[in-house]
Amino acid sequence: METIMDNSTMEFVQQQTPSTLISTIQQLSYWKIFVTFICIVLVWDQISYQIKKGSIAGPRFKIWPIIGPFLESLDPKFEEYKAKWDSGALSCVSIFHKFVIISSTRDISRKIFQSSKFVKPCVVDVAIKILRPTNWVFLDGKAHIDYRKSLNGLFTKTALAQYLPSQEQVMDKYLQKFIEISKENNYEPQVFFHEMREILCALSLRAFCGEYITEDQIRKIADDYYLVTAALELVNFPIIIPFTKTWYGKRTADAAMKIFEQCAQMSKDYIAKGGKPICVMDAWCKLMHDAKTKNDEDSRILHREFSNKEISEAIFTFLFASQDASSSLACWLFQIVADRPDILEKIRKEQMEVRNNDMSTELNIELIDKMKYTNMVIKETLRYRPPVLMVPYVVKEKFPVTPNYTAPKGSMLIPTLYPSLHDPEVYENPDEFIPERWEEGSPASEAKKNWLVFGCGPHVCLGQTYVMITFAALLGKFALYTDFEHKITPLSEKIKVFATIFPKDDLLMTFKKRDPITGKVFE
């Protein structure tokens, strides 16, 4: 009897379910279906976040469903970043489809930098469209290593020595320009944020492209590069829509790379005729040219004829890597030194000593190597106000970041640099500016693992020697030939985040002409 009832019940259900289901669906309005769908999506968004979050620090729930803290990220604040770093060794947020994990300790950050098996640089979603998918910076594994071998020789001290004369011309030109701008404003302090970006762009482009790039082209790229920076904000839409930040950024990048392609061909022609390298492009073309007659493994890599397009993309990557970071360093360096007359006086004294009081002394690598104190000031500025706070990576496969947490594939993993550079166990009074902490043999100089300004591992910055040489030359020249003053405001020491970091008041300064021998200031 029980079996008969069960079979009857089953038959009834089988007969009734389809019609009942259809009837139920017919009774549902499109609005109810839409609301049900949204509810499912919202619930899954929270569940997915909980699964990925695991035990690491972060909001218990996504307060803003789907978008997460997107609105806050449009106006990033240093204080909010610092609170996130202080919340735990690993913390997280989730914005739209992207789950972001932030590392705030030295050892975990180093592990991320060095784990090319699990992660690769990603900048931001839209970067691959702006910098182009074929760009070497997006290569991985052996392909990246081989390509990098062809670039390493461009930033050795020997190579950098060849670029200094053209860079010195740029420094002299802008030194006079800064004085003239100040004079026109009756030497009243004014915003120099934009001028610092322009001089650093000009220095980079002259070092990269030599005389192949014109003054008008340099000015155009310097003026427009701000659009590229805006397009590559940490949080942005991955789709390029006309007349948006990303659209303007891509147009600017494409125009600049077109100029670099033309410069690359001129450089190839110059080197083929036996010309002596005076810029990065020349040095690269010379390496390719010389490698054709060699037969060792490295030469075979260099032997490949890099196209003008490839060279242009690499040069734009150098500009991308240097422009915002070097502009940040320039702003903080001039502000910090101007606010500390004792430090400025020591720099001037050293600059006179290394030149033996002879202002006709040629600016060269040997001279810069003698600028011990000037270099300590630059290094302390990089520690005190590191231009780059975080470096985004994407997880290629599940990555056991710690024994207790595995980063999921596809998530963004961000090693942070600031905490390791302000570690009180390594840097005594880390929030004070003390150049002397970098004296040879000091605890700071020996703490190599904490020095993450330029990253570490396979993607360590190619240009770190270039940065130190260029800024020693720049600061030394301005210290000798100008009297620069900074107007301190309540926002001067506050940090503004715009790709890199800048003073919140945009650097209020004035420059006057100075006689390096007598110290006399002219108005």
Side-chain angles (χ1 to χ4, degrees):
M1 182 70 175
E2 196 170 285
T3 303
I4 294 172
M5 286 295 293
D6 287 347
N7 290 339
S8 300
T9 303
M10 287 294 294
E11 185 178 349
F12 176 80
V13 170
Q14 289 170 359
Q15 290 174 352
Q16 295 299 316
T17 298
S19 60
T20 304
L21 183 61
I22 292 170
S23 176
T24 302
I25 292 174
Q26 287 174 340
Q27 291 173 15
L28 286 175
S29 66
Y30 287 114
W31 174 248
K32 289 180 180 177
I33 294 173
F34 175 74
V35 170
T36 302
F37 174 76
I38 292 298
C39 289
I40 292 171
V41 170
L42 293 178
V43 171
W44 172 245
D45 183 52
Q46 293 288 356
I47 292 173
S48 174
Y49 171 71
Q50 298 298 325
I51 293 171
K52 292 175 180 176
K53 178 181 180 296
S55 60
I56 64 176
R60 186 69 186 89
F61 298 97
K62 290 180 69 171
I63 299 175
W64 297 104
I66 308 298
I67 66 171
F70 172 69
L71 297 177
E72 293 93 325
S73 67
L74 294 177
D75 181 25
K77 294 179 174 59
F78 174 78
E79 293 75 17
E80 292 175 356
Y81 282 146
K82 192 170 187 308
K84 180 67 68 177
W85 305 332
D86 292 343
S87 68
L90 287 174
S91 58
C92 68
V93 293
S94 181
I95 302 176
F96 289 113
H97 66 294
K98 189 66 67 178
F99 185 72
V100 182
I101 306 155
I102 301 165
S103 156
S104 61
T105 70
R106 179 197 70 185
D107 292 337
I108 295 178
S109 292
R110 289 184 66 87
K111 182 177 181 179
I112 296 168
F113 279 128
Q114 295 169 340
S115 298
S116 56
K117 175 185 175 183
F118 295 100
V119 298
K120 66 177 180 179
C122 66
V123 192
V124 292
D125 286 346
V126 79
I128 196 167
K129 297 181 178 70
I130 293 176
L131 301 179
R132 297 179 182 171
T134 52
N135 200 307
W136 78 280
V137 75
F138 298 116
L139 294 177
D140 202 15
K142 188 176 185 302
H144 176 267
I145 293 171
D146 287 348
Y147 204 117
R148 190 178 174 105
K149 281 182 180 179
S150 67
L151 304 177
N152 286 336
L154 309 180
F155 294 97
T156 62
K157 276 194 174 183
T158 302
L160 293 171
Q162 300 172 104
Y163 319 146
L164 264 177
S166 60
Q167 284 191 299
E168 187 173 17
Q169 292 176 11
V170 173
M171 292 174 196
D172 290 338
K173 173 190 167 186
Y174 276 89
L175 188 150
Q176 293 302 321
K177 182 177 179 179
F178 284 13
I179 293 172
E180 290 168 9
I181 291 173
S182 298
K183 185 176 181 180
E184 290 171 3
N185 199 45
N186 296 318
Y187 298 107
E188 289 294 321
Q190 60 185 306
V191 170
F192 262 84
F193 166 78
H194 303 289
E195 281 69 25
M196 289 298 175
R197 287 180 65 87
E198 184 178 327
I199 184 177
L200 266 299
C201 188
L203 282 168
S204 295
L205 291 177
R206 192 59 75 199
F208 298 158
C209 303
E211 296 298 324
Y212 308 122
I213 190 166
T214 67
E215 292 288 338
D216 288 341
Q217 288 172 331
I218 289 176
R219 194 174 302 108
K220 176 65 175 171
I221 294 173
D223 289 344
D224 292 349
Y225 195 85
Y226 192 87
L227 299 171
V228 177
T229 305
L232 293 171
E233 290 172 334
L234 185 58
V235 177
N236 219 323
F237 289 108
I239 301 171
I240 296 179
I241 301 171
F243 307 108
T244 61
K245 288 181 183 180
T246 51
W247 185 77
Y248 284 114
K250 188 175 189 311
R251 283 213 320 173
T252 299
D254 287 345
M257 282 188 258
K258 192 67 179 175
I259 293 171
F260 297 157
E261 281 189 53
Q262 297 166 356
C263 294
Q265 186 56 55
M266 287 188 278
S267 178
K268 286 180 178 179
D269 295 340
Y270 170 73
I271 294 298
K273 293 176 182 177
K276 180 182 177 182
I278 58 171
C279 65
V280 170
M281 278 189 179
D282 285 347
W284 195 356
C285 292
K286 185 75 163 60
L287 286 172
M288 288 189 288
H289 185 271
D290 293 349
K292 293 176 183 178
T293 60
K294 298 178 182 177
N295 201 32
D296 57 275
E297 184 180 349
D298 284 351
S299 294
R300 282 195 294 273
I301 294 169
L302 295 171
H303 186 281
R304 180 170 79 79
E305 189 69 19
F306 290 92
S307 68
N308 294 341
K309 180 174 178 290
E310 287 177 306
I311 293 173
S312 74
E313 290 172 353
I315 293 296
F316 190 82
T317 304
F318 297 159
L319 183 62
F320 168 69
S322 67
Q323 175 58 17
D324 291 309
S326 59
S327 298
S328 168
L329 174 56
C331 287
W332 289 112
L333 184 61
F334 276 86
Q335 171 175 304
I336 288 166
V337 171
D339 291 346
R340 295 162 175 79
D342 56 324
I343 289 177
L344 178 55
E345 187 55 38
K346 289 179 182 178
I347 292 171
R348 284 173 172 158
K349 181 180 178 183
E350 179 180 75
Q351 293 296 319
M352 295 297 292
E353 288 175 353
V354 299
R355 290 172 169 83
N356 292 319
N357 294 335
D358 181 3
M359 292 301 101
S360 65
T361 304
E362 178 187 0
L363 184 62
N364 54 47
I365 296 295
E366 291 72 26
L367 193 71
I368 290 173
D369 281 342
K370 295 177 183 177
M371 302 176 186
K372 303 296 185 185
Y373 185 76
T374 305
N375 274 285
M376 286 194 292
V377 171
I378 296 165
K379 196 163 186 179
E380 177 67 350
T381 305
L382 287 166
R383 184 206 66 82
Y384 180 68
R385 289 290 184 265
V388 178
L389 298 177
M390 302 177 288
V391 184
Y393 281 75
V394 66
V395 180
K396 299 188 292 185
E397 58 180 271
K398 288 184 178 180
F399 179 19
V401 184
T402 69
N404 300 318
Y405 184 76
T406 297
K409 180 180 179 180
S411 59
M412 186 180 284
L413 191 55
I414 304 180
T416 302
L417 314 184
Y418 191 93
S420 67
L421 296 165
H422 286 73
D423 182 351
E425 294 184 9
V426 175
Y427 307 109
E428 188 177 355
N429 301 319
D431 293 325
E432 293 183 19
F433 188 85
I434 309 172
E436 289 77 11
R437 74 167 82 244
W438 294 105
E439 289 177 351
E440 190 174 348
S442 66
S445 66
E446 295 298 315
K448 308 296 184 185
K449 287 187 175 182
N450 279 68
W451 184 246
L452 291 177
V453 170
F454 299 100
C456 65
H459 290 276
V460 65
C461 179
L462 274 170
Q464 50 187 309
T465 303
Y466 166 82
V467 169
M468 298 304 294
I469 289 173
T470 299
F471 275 90
L474 180 68
L475 180 58
K477 186 168 281 285
F478 269 80
L480 286 175
Y481 290 94
T482 71
D483 181 61
F484 53 91
E485 297 178 359
H486 169 247
K487 180 181 178 180
I488 300 175
T489 75
L491 297 177
S492 294
E493 286 291 328
K494 300 291 184 180
I495 295 173
K496 175 178 71 175
V497 181
F498 180 66
T500 50
I501 64 172
F502 296 91
K504 267 195 174 180
D505 61 8
D506 287 337
L507 188 66
L508 298 169
M509 296 200 72
T510 185
F511 293 80
K512 296 177 183 177
K513 184 178 180 181
R514 178 182 183 274
D515 185 303
I517 301 295
T518 65
K520 182 178 179 181
V521 177
F522 303 90
E523 293 191 11

